[in-house]
Structure formats: structure tokens, C-alpha cells
Amino acid sequence: MQRSFTILYTSLLGLCLGSSSSFPSNINIGGLFPIESHEYEVFRFALSHHQDIPKLVPQVDMVKMGNSFSMTYAFCSQFSKGVYAIIGLYDRKTVNMLMSFCGALHVCFVTPSFPIETANQFVIQLRPELQDALVGVIDHYGWTKFVYMYSSDSGLSVLQKVLDTAAERNWLVTSVNVETMTEASFLKVFQDLDKRKEGQIIIDCETERLTGILKKIVEQGKNAKSYHYILANLGFLDIDLTDLRKGGANITGFQLVNHSEPGVSRVAHQWMEFDNKDSKVPKSGLKYTGALTYDGVKVMYTAFQNLRKQRIDISRRGNAGECLANPPAPWGQGIDIQRALQQVRIDGLTGHIQFNEKGRRTNYTVSVMELAPSGPKKVGYWNEDEKYVTTASFVRGSNETYGLQNRTYIVTTILESPYVMLKKNHEQLAGNDKYEGYIVELAAEIAKHVGYQYKLKVVSDGKYGARDPETKMWNGMVGELVYGKADVAVAPLTITLVREEVIDFSKPFMSLGISIMIKKPTKSKPGVFSFLDPLAYEIWMCIVFAYIGVSVVLFLVSRFSPYEWHAEDYDEGGEPQTPTQASGTNGMQQSQTQTQQNANQQSPEQTNEFGIFNSLWFSLGAFMQQGCDISPRSLSGRIVGGVWWFFTLIIISSYTANLAAFLTVERMVSPIESAEDLAKQTEIAYGTLDAGSTKEFFRRSKIAVFEKMWSYMKAADPSVFVKTTDEGVMRVRKSKGKYAYLLESTMNEYIEQRKPCDTMKVGGNLDSKGYGIATPKGSPLRNPVNLAVLKLNEQGLLDKLKNKWWYDKGECGSGGGDSKDKTSALSLSNVAGVFYILIGGLGLAMLVALVEFCYKSRTESRRMKQSINDAMRCSTLTRMSGNGSGGENGRILTHDFPKTVQTLPCMSHTASMGLGASGM
């Protein structure tokens, strides 16, 4: 009995040993990897960790992804070498070919590549499907409108699931293929989002392409808080999100590898210490695709261990052959290996690893991550049983101002007087102490109110900020904020629509508008007849015509009115009779009574004082406020005189009121007074600052005048645009009045107050805008800075700072230029015309007197039949003789000489004197 038992035990032991010896100790596994790929390096690292029997012996072919011929050749080569299974990568162009070979030849293909929808059970997909987790996150955020950016390289299964769900739940999804997207279409997507005030975007790409897209997003300034990105990628921690975080964008993603697990961290540490001498690629951290490759090796090793324990013969003796045979010859043991691989249940670097009957991952967990200011944080997880679960370890937007005191912020600004200027001894100073000016003090006040530390940094390119029309890149201070090089911009930065789209502005700390700067024209010296300037040329002409008209009307009224005519009783000599004369001639009157009665029967001689010359004289005397020795007697004449006196009162009063200002102020004649004057002419060139809001204003304006000015400026040769404000001011000063510079009114007013005081602002402001403090989109500084600006404004500190740096430090006086507070004294040039008229009037009077004398002498010479020389001599002696008998007021009295005496030749001076004293 014992002998029989010994024989049976020996037989069974021999059977077992025979069975074990039939399982190969070395398992040839194939590898299809891209050249110098991260997955290949991890594959070699994983093999070094699995050296037990059965030992996995690699048969690796380096292939070129996207090349079907290269992939076919490598697959057939490995099949002919008798590999038991293959691990490797595929892409969109080679996946169908590999599926066909694996299904036809019963060769298992283990892959960390993107999962696909296939009924081929010989494909073992290590990467979990993401579509259900993505839909769960979309539901969690409540998105109903979003853009889905995808790459067909990673398949369309996720997109199809999202579109199917969108149809069921009435979501509005805009799908964009990033492979066919140009720079223009990329910008258009974000422009449409900005117009609709939406910013929900899903990006479904492989890590390499995803990195390029995120770089474009940062370059275009779309990493602001108003945007929310969901990265449909299982390697959230593998992506560099540093630049994206600076803009404050909301970033959500998925993480498959849990680096907090001790086993994972241990393998990751060993990977970094793994010495790979053959690798030409710099060592990087263990990515999630590398972790999937590591788990793939572990799955294969576990499966073959299980087959060995089960003593299943998988020997390929006589089974190796051509993969292109027709009909194909499948490997009989391939089904056993496929079942062993699908039955693996292990915990790997990517969590729990389990496959369903179709070779897809099941019963897995994916972590949901968000990008916090301090870095990536886990906010939840998703699995098949619980779906999306929020862990709420981080809530975005909570306590945004926390920690402001623990960081030094970069404040970008620009060197521009009087905003930011270097101190005279700036070389001996460091940091913020090197600068002074309005903005320097404003930045200090804001930092004090908000409570943060800062460092002033002058923008490198010296520009405010504009978008290049070709590259679509922002420059200047706006670019510094958009691309995360600065945290806040405190500068004379104008609030505009295009800038507001990419950065945030505070409330305006200063209001202003575009103004015109020209070189101050030389002051015009008063002319000789500057006393005529108080009244316009047209008024003087009207006064002359009014003077002539009034004189003519007065003359006509006096002629027609009977009350202006009067008779005078004179004796024969022409003098009125005095009482003495009447008694002396009483006898003569009695003897001639009859003759006088006959004379009285005739009408007496009527006289009228207002001839044409007397009328002109009366009007002139009234106008000069001097009066006249004659006055109108009739009512109509007095009416004419009254209205003329009223007219002259108003005119003289108005003239006197303006005379002082015109004589004491030296006026400057400006060649232009407004933007319309600039647009109408081409002699004076005009331009703006290049890459600034003023240039953008003219470029976008739809007002006809400004459109005309923009057309001129952009076509002008040489260019009328300047790189800096200082360059524009110097161009104005050196152009001798042939260049006008368009700039903000605040800067114009400041420069007008600086020496050499040769510029001036003309016209009003062309628009109305304000300067604001800028921060990146979604910055936690926005609200505190905004409140600080409002507080400073209410306290009056903003006005105090402006008065300090504009007017208190002005160099040209309160009026600008060389103006003085006191009125300058009159000079001879102011009143020279009055002296000229006086001298001219005296000369004219002498000339007229000479003409009258000559004319009278000629008349007397003819009447007395003398030569003109004798008549002039006689008249001269008579008029230059003593004034005892010369009559009053210079008039020669005509005595009652007999007719015979009056007709005698001119008497001598002695005879004349005798007659004059005879009392005749």
C-alpha cells in the first residue's frame, strides 16, 4: 500500500514538474514607441522593477507616429519574432490598422493611448474614459453655454458624449477643432465670447497640444478671471499653469495619478533616480502617460504570473508566422493571454486597475482639480458609483485679499512728467526712492490704504499699451499686465474699450480730454492806430455813415422847418442899432419915414444857421462830446439832435470801456483755434503719440472732422506720430509754428506751465475720458484699489496732488507764459496814432488857412483891380496889425465907409488906422 502511494506521488510530481517546465521562463513582449518618448523611458524603468520569473524580455521597435507603413512593418516584425503581447502607443492614423492586426492574429495590444470605441477584445486600454466625469463636472458648474475645443488626434468619443448630452439637456455647445484653427479664427472665438459676456471653455487635447493652446491664451490675455477653462486631460499636474495663474483665470482639470499615495511617491522618486544613459531627452517628472505605461508593464507581468500559476501552455512553438498571410493564421494561445490580461485586479500608479469584457478600464476614480492662487488644489472626485463628489477643500474667490501684506507687488508705470520723474540724485538712491511725481505719491497713498508692499517698475518699451494689428500682441503697460509681468499699473493710462476687454480699470482718478498744443505765437505789438481796435472796422464805417446821414437829415429838417428861419433887424451898415445911434440919427429917420415904410412892406431877410457845414460841425461837436455854439430851434431839429446825442453816448461809453484793455494788453494772434481749423489746412502738420489712446481715438472715430484728420495723419510723410510725449513737445517747439501736437489736456496744461513757456493750449477738449489704475482681469487687487481711489477723491487728496505738481511748481505764472499780475503801463507806441492825428490836423488847418488866404486875396485883387501881390500884402498888413480895431474873435469889422471910400484903392496902414479910430 505504501509502495503504491509512493509511485502515485512520484507520478503526480513528475506531471507537475513537466507542466511547469512547459511554461517559458522568458516572455518576449513587444514594444511600439515613438522615438525618444517619455513612455519608452518609463517602459524600460518598469522592466527593471519586474525581473522575477517569468522574466519579461522586450522586443522594442521605435516607430514614427502617424506613419502606417512604419507601424505595420514594426508590428509584423515583432509578430514574426514570437512576442506574446505588445505594449505601445497609437494615434488617429494607425489605430485602425493595429485593431485589425490584433483582431485577426489574436495578439493582445496593451496601450496607454486615448481610449476608443471598439469591439476588439484584444486591445487592453489602460487609460480610463473621461466623458462621464466631464459631464459630471459640467453639471456641477451648471454650464449651459460653452465652447468645446478638441483635437481629433485624441479621438472624438468625449466630444460625441458631450454633444449627445447637450441634445438631451438643451445645452448650447460650440465645437472648434484646434487642428484646423488659424490665428484669426482663434481670436474670433474669444471675441465672440467677449461680446456675449461668456467665458466657459472646454479644451480636449493631448498634453503637448494643450500646452501650445494655453500659451496662446496667455499671449492674448484671455487668462483673466472672467474665463473658466476645463481641461479634459488626465494630467492636470503635468501642465505648467504658472502664466495662466497670474491672470486669475478659473482652471479646472482632472488628475489620474495621486502623488500623495506613498507607493506612487516612492516610484516617482525612484524614477527620478533611474539612470538612463541612453536617453537623449532631459529627465522630467513622471507624467500620467508614463504612469499608465508603468501600470501596463505591471498588468502584463501579473497576467503572465497568473498563467504560470495556472500551468497554461502558451508556448508559441510552430505558431509564429507571417502577419500578412491570407487567410490570416491566428495564434491559438492568444485567447488565453487576452483573458488573463482582462482578469487582472491590481492597484497601480493610476489607482485601481480593472478591465471589463471589452478591455476598458472600470471601477476607477479620477480627482477633480482647480487652480488656486497658491497652486493646484483638489476640489472633488468622480467614480462610476458616486459620480461627482465635492470635497470642498478649496473654494475659489473666498478671502481674495488675504495675504496681500505677505507679497511685494510689481507696479508698472512710465516715465512721464509730472507723473513719474527721476530725482536729481537718483543714481545715489535705490528702489522706489529714485522716483518722484504725481503718480509716485498716488501709488504710495493707494498702497497705504490697501495695505500691500510694492515695487515701481518702469515699462521697458516706454509705451502705454496698444494691440499690434498684425501680431495681435499687446505692448506697453497693458502688455505687462496681460502677460503677467506686473500686478498693477499706476500711470496716466486712459480708460478705453479695447483695454477694458483685456484688463480691469478702477474708477478714474483724473478726468481729461484730447487737446491741441501749438507753439505760442509772438505777441503782436500795438499798431499806430491801435486806439481804433476797441471797435470793429464795420462799426467805424457805420459811425462815419451815421455822422454824414445825421448831418444831412439835420440840414434838411432845418430847411423845411419854419422855426429854424429867423429875421434880424440891422441898420444899413449891417449892425443892430443901439439907443445912442438911434437918437443921433433921429432927424434923418424923420426925413426918411416914407422910405422906411416902403422897406417894411417888403419881407425882411430870413437867415438859417444850419447850413450843410454848420450841420456837419454840430454833429461832430456832439460826437466829440464838446458841444457847439449853435443849437436847433425847431422840435424836429431837436429830435435829430437828441437821438444823435443818445447814439454818441452809447458808442463813446462802449469805446471807452474797451479802450483800456486794448491799449494795455498785448494780444497773441493764434493761427488755429480749434480742430476744425486744423482739418481745413495742410500748412501746419499735426500728430499724436504712437501706440496710445489718442491715436486709437482718431482711428476709431466716426466724426467727419476727426476722420479727415486721421486720414491726413496716417498718410503724412514724414510721419507725424512721435514715440514719446517729450519728442512731441520738442517737435512743437522746433517747428516754428508748423506742427501741432494732440495730447491729453492734463499734460498740455502741465507743459504750458514749464519753461521756456513757449507752448499753449488752444480750443476746447475734443473728447472726455479719464485715467484709471489698471489690474489684470480677475486680480484680487481690483476692488481694494477701486475703493482706495474713491476714498482719496472724497478726501480731496487727488485735487491737492494735482495742484501741487501742476501749478504750485509751475514756472510760468498763473496765466502761463510770461504774463504778470499787474497791468503794464502804456508806451508811446500805444498812443502814437493820437499824436499823428493831432499833428496832421494842425498841418491840415494851416494848409486850409493858406488856401483861404490866397483865394480871398485873389478875389480882392480882382475887385479892387490890383495885382495879387499888392492885395496879399494889403490883407496881410490888415490882419497882422494890432487887435485894437481887429474886432472880436478874429473877425474884421466893416465900418460904414462912403461908397467912394470903399471903392478907393487900398489905403496905407496909417490911413487905415486913422479911419479905424475916427469913430465914423
Side-chain angles (χ1 to χ4, degrees):
M1 185 68 178
Q2 184 177 5
R3 180 179 176 86
S4 300
F5 179 78
T6 302
I7 294 173
L8 180 60
Y9 178 77
T10 304
S11 300
L12 291 173
L13 182 60
L15 181 62
C16 292
L17 291 174
S19 300
S20 298
S21 62
S22 65
F23 195 89
S25 59
N26 292 330
I27 303 296
N28 292 330
I29 60 173
L32 300 176
F33 295 99
I35 301 173
E36 298 180 355
S37 64
H38 173 73
E39 292 76 15
Y40 171 66
E41 301 301 331
V42 176
F43 172 70
R44 296 179 63 251
F45 168 70
L47 289 178
S48 67
H49 283 196
H50 300 85
Q51 296 292 328
D52 297 338
I53 296 176
K55 183 180 181 180
L56 302 179
V57 180
Q59 301 291 334
V60 179
D61 283 318
M62 309 305 292
V63 296
K64 185 177 181 181
M65 301 303 293
N67 191 329
S68 298
F69 177 80
S70 174
M71 187 68 74
T72 302
Y73 179 82
F75 184 90
C76 292
S77 173
Q78 294 188 359
F79 182 75
S80 64
K81 294 176 182 178
V83 296
Y84 292 89
I86 300 175
I87 184 171
L89 303 175
Y90 55 69
D91 59 7
R92 179 170 53 91
K93 296 181 179 180
T94 59
V95 60
N96 294 327
M97 180 272 297
L98 287 174
M99 298 304 102
S100 299
F101 278 123
C102 293
L105 302 176
H106 292 187
V107 176
C108 292
F109 188 79
V110 181
T111 178
S113 296
F114 57 88
I116 58 173
E117 293 286 343
T118 178
N120 191 339
Q121 73 268 24
F122 291 96
V123 178
I124 307 301
Q125 302 181 28
L126 296 168
R127 187 184 301 187
E129 294 180 336
L130 190 58
Q131 49 263 43
D132 292 332
L134 178 60
V135 171
V137 172
I138 295 174
D139 281 336
H140 170 71
Y141 288 117
W143 287 11
T144 57
K145 297 179 182 180
F146 54 88
V147 174
Y148 191 96
M149 304 174 68
Y150 67 94
S151 170
S152 57
D153 282 343
S154 58
L156 304 177
S157 58
V158 181
L159 173 62
Q160 188 61 48
K161 174 68 175 180
V162 171
L163 293 179
D164 293 342
T165 308
E168 297 174 0
R169 305 182 184 181
N170 295 323
W171 292 350
L172 181 61
V173 182
T174 303
S175 59
V176 179
N177 190 346
V178 296
E179 295 179 9
T180 60
M181 183 184 296
T182 61
E183 190 76 20
S185 60
F186 182 83
L187 290 175
K188 189 176 185 303
V189 170
F190 286 95
Q191 288 175 356
D192 294 340
L193 287 174
D194 293 340
K195 290 180 181 178
R196 299 196 302 264
K197 302 297 182 183
E198 299 173 3
Q200 294 83 23
I201 302 171
I202 298 175
I203 306 177
D204 178 15
C205 298
E206 292 297 306
T207 304
E208 292 76 11
R209 189 181 294 273
L210 179 60
T211 302
I213 294 176
L214 295 180
K215 184 178 179 181
K216 285 185 179 180
I217 289 174
V218 174
E219 290 176 351
Q220 299 300 327
K222 305 305 179 182
N223 58 332
K225 189 177 181 180
S226 58
Y227 293 97
H228 191 169
Y229 298 93
I230 296 179
L231 308 182
N233 186 284
L234 291 170
F236 189 79
L237 298 179
D238 300 340
I239 307 169
D240 184 8
L241 302 174
T242 304
D243 293 337
L244 209 62
R245 181 176 60 189
K246 292 180 179 179
N250 301 290
I251 310 294
T252 304
F254 303 91
Q255 181 64 26
L256 184 61
V257 181
N258 187 1
H259 289 278
S260 63
E261 291 289 338
V264 176
S265 60
R266 182 178 63 255
V267 173
H269 181 71
Q270 292 172 353
W271 158 251
M272 296 303 297
E273 293 180 348
F274 177 64
D275 187 13
N276 188 4
K277 298 179 180 180
D278 298 333
S279 177
K280 299 179 181 179
V281 180
K283 177 76 72 171
S284 62
L286 186 63
K287 300 179 181 178
Y288 87 97
T289 54
L292 289 171
T293 305
Y294 185 94
D295 287 346
V297 174
K298 188 175 182 179
V299 167
M300 295 174 73
Y301 176 79
T302 304
F304 285 112
Q305 284 280 10
N306 293 335
L307 289 172
R308 183 174 183 273
K309 292 177 181 179
Q310 297 172 9
R311 302 181 184 88
I312 297 176
D313 185 13
I314 59 171
S315 175
R316 291 199 57 180
R317 292 187 299 272
N319 293 84
E322 292 292 333
C323 67
L324 298 178
N326 191 13
W331 178 32
Q333 287 76 19
I335 295 293
D336 297 329
I337 297 176
Q338 178 260 329
R339 290 174 180 171
L341 289 171
Q342 289 185 356
Q343 292 173 1
V344 172
R345 303 287 189 275
I346 60 173
D347 290 329
L349 300 181
T350 59
H352 180 72
I353 299 176
Q354 183 179 346
F355 303 97
N356 60 15
E357 66 279 2
K358 295 182 180 181
R360 301 175 190 172
R361 284 280 293 268
T362 184
N363 196 19
Y364 58 89
T365 300
V366 176
S367 298
V368 179
M369 313 290 289
E370 278 194 4
L371 185 62
S374 58
K377 299 291 183 180
K378 182 178 179 180
V379 295
Y381 63 88
W382 183 94
N383 58 39
E384 293 177 341
D385 297 331
E386 300 176 276
K387 303 304 179 184
Y388 179 74
V389 177
T390 302
T391 60
S393 60
F394 163 71
V395 180
R396 173 170 293 276
S398 61
N399 199 13
E400 291 181 341
T401 60
Y402 176 76
L404 290 179
Q405 297 87 353
N406 300 326
R407 178 185 170 190
T408 299
Y409 287 86
I410 301 299
V411 177
T412 182
T413 187
I414 189 170
L415 284 176
E416 194 81 78
S417 300
Y419 300 101
V420 179
M421 301 173 289
L422 288 171
K423 293 182 179 178
K424 295 181 180 179
N425 59 339
H426 66 275
E427 297 178 352
Q428 304 173 2
L429 303 173
N432 301 341
D433 296 333
K434 297 189 299 182
Y435 307 102
E436 65 176 354
Y438 177 90
I439 289 297
V440 177
E441 296 190 14
L442 177 62
E445 291 291 336
I446 291 175
K448 183 173 69 175
H449 282 75
V450 176
Y452 66 84
Q453 297 178 352
Y454 70 99
K455 177 183 178 182
L456 286 175
K457 177 185 175 184
V458 177
V459 62
S460 57
D461 59 5
K463 296 182 179 180
Y464 288 89
R467 177 181 288 172
D468 189 282
E470 297 180 357
T471 63
K472 307 299 181 182
M473 297 288 290
W474 284 91
N475 57 21
M477 291 180 288
V478 178
E480 297 273 326
L481 297 176
V482 168
Y483 305 129
K485 298 180 181 179
D487 301 298
V488 62
V490 185
L493 191 62
T494 307
I495 303 174
T496 63
L497 174 62
V498 292
R499 290 174 178 169
E500 189 74 45
E501 292 176 351
V502 295
I503 57 177
D504 288 331
F505 279 101
S506 68
K507 297 295 182 182
F509 62 84
M510 185 179 293
S511 299
L512 63 146
I514 298 176
S515 62
I516 305 173
M517 173 192 287
I518 64 171
K519 184 175 177 62
K520 187 177 296 183
T522 57
K523 295 180 179 179
S524 59
K525 293 294 182 180
V528 173
F529 297 99
S530 59
F531 63 89
L532 298 176
D533 292 339
L535 300 180
Y537 170 78
E538 295 82 1
I539 297 179
W540 286 116
M541 294 301 299
C542 291
I543 291 174
V544 172
F545 287 121
Y547 164 69
I548 297 175
V550 168
S551 301
V552 172
V553 169
L554 183 60
F555 168 74
L556 295 177
V557 165
S558 299
R559 290 294 168 182
F560 283 101
S561 176
Y563 299 102
E564 291 294 345
W565 295 89
H566 57 90
E568 293 183 355
D569 294 333
Y570 293 106
D571 59 356
E572 188 178 354
E575 289 292 332
Q577 293 183 359
T578 63
T580 305
Q581 291 173 335
S583 62
T585 57
N586 188 28
M588 186 180 294
Q589 289 177 352
Q590 292 176 357
S591 64
Q592 296 177 349
T593 302
Q594 187 66 33
T595 303
Q596 291 177 355
Q597 291 177 354
N598 293 335
N600 290 333
Q601 292 177 358
Q602 299 176 357
S603 61
E605 182 179 356
Q606 299 290 323
T607 61
N608 192 326
E609 294 179 343
F610 283 94
I612 187 62
F613 291 106
N614 280 350
S615 298
L616 292 171
W617 178 249
F618 172 82
S619 300
L620 182 61
F623 185 76
M624 294 298 179
Q625 306 288 294
Q626 299 301 317
C628 185
D629 53 353
I630 57 175
S631 298
R633 296 182 178 182
S634 64
L635 178 61
S636 58
R638 291 178 178 179
I639 291 176
V640 174
V643 297
W644 176 244
W645 289 342
F646 176 78
F647 173 81
T648 56
L649 173 66
I650 301 301
I651 291 295
I652 296 301
S653 300
S654 302
Y655 173 81
T656 305
N658 290 335
L659 180 62
F662 275 85
L663 290 182
T664 58
V665 176
E666 294 180 340
R667 292 175 295 167
M668 293 180 294
V669 181
S670 176
I672 56 173
E673 295 292 344
S674 63
E676 289 77 8
D677 295 342
L678 277 179
K680 292 176 183 178
Q681 55 81 47
T682 56
E683 181 180 357
I684 300 177
Y686 49 90
T688 68
L689 180 69
D690 199 6
S693 61
T694 304
K695 180 180 179 181
E696 193 70 15
F697 166 79
F698 283 99
R699 189 176 70 85
R700 292 177 173 269
S701 179
K702 299 301 180 183
I703 301 176
V705 175
F706 300 151
E707 284 183 333
K708 184 177 180 181
M709 295 175 67
W710 171 247
S711 300
Y712 164 79
M713 287 189 286
K714 69 179 181 180
D717 187 23
S719 176
V720 293
F721 300 108
V722 294
K723 295 181 179 179
T724 63
T725 300
D726 291 338
E727 180 182 345
V729 174
M730 291 304 299
R731 189 167 177 177
V732 169
R733 288 172 171 167
K734 294 180 179 180
S735 63
K736 298 181 179 179
K738 298 300 180 182
Y739 181 78
Y741 183 45
L742 300 162
L743 74 167
E744 280 81 2
S745 57
T746 51
M747 182 59 65
N748 199 349
E749 294 167 359
Y750 172 76
I751 296 174
E752 188 176 358
Q753 293 292 322
R754 314 307 294 178
K755 290 183 179 180
C757 308
D758 57 352
T759 64
M760 64 180 293
K761 173 186 173 184
V762 294
N765 294 340
L766 307 187
D767 67 341
S768 178
K769 51 191 175 183
Y771 288 151
I773 298 174
T775 55
K777 282 286 187 180
S779 172
L781 286 174
R782 178 187 179 184
N783 289 335
V785 168
N786 199 26
L787 294 176
V789 171
L790 292 176
K791 187 174 182 180
L792 294 175
N793 188 30
E794 292 177 356
Q795 293 176 349
L797 186 61
L798 297 180
D799 293 333
K800 182 179 178 181
L801 287 178
K802 184 174 181 181
N803 289 331
K804 174 183 176 181
W805 290 99
W806 263 258
Y807 305 110
D808 295 348
K809 295 180 178 290
E811 301 172 349
C812 301
S814 60
D818 299 324
S819 63
K820 304 295 181 181
D821 293 335
K822 62 180 182 179
T823 304
S824 58
L826 288 178
S827 62
L828 181 60
S829 59
N830 295 101
V831 294
V834 179
F835 289 93
Y836 291 155
I837 290 179
L838 175 61
I839 296 172
L842 296 178
L844 179 62
M846 294 295 294
L847 179 62
V848 171
L850 180 61
V851 171
E852 289 178 342
F853 174 72
C854 294
Y855 175 76
K856 186 65 176 178
S857 299
R858 180 178 177 82
T859 304
E860 290 294 329
S861 66
R862 290 180 178 178
R863 184 175 63 83
M864 303 181 69
K865 297 180 180 181
Q866 290 180 320
S867 65
I868 189 170
N869 292 333
D870 294 337
M872 292 178 66
R873 187 181 304 111
C874 180
S875 297
T876 301
L877 292 175
T878 302
R879 286 165 174 77
M880 297 302 294
S881 61
N883 55 7
S885 61
E888 58 178 325
N889 296 331
R891 292 198 295 267
I892 301 298
L893 297 178
T894 303
H895 298 278
D896 296 332
F897 293 109
K899 296 293 184 180
T900 55
V901 175
Q902 293 181 12
T903 58
L904 291 176
C906 182
M907 295 179 293
S908 64
H909 176 66
T910 306
S912 174
M913 293 293 291
L915 291 172
S918 63
M920 290 180 61

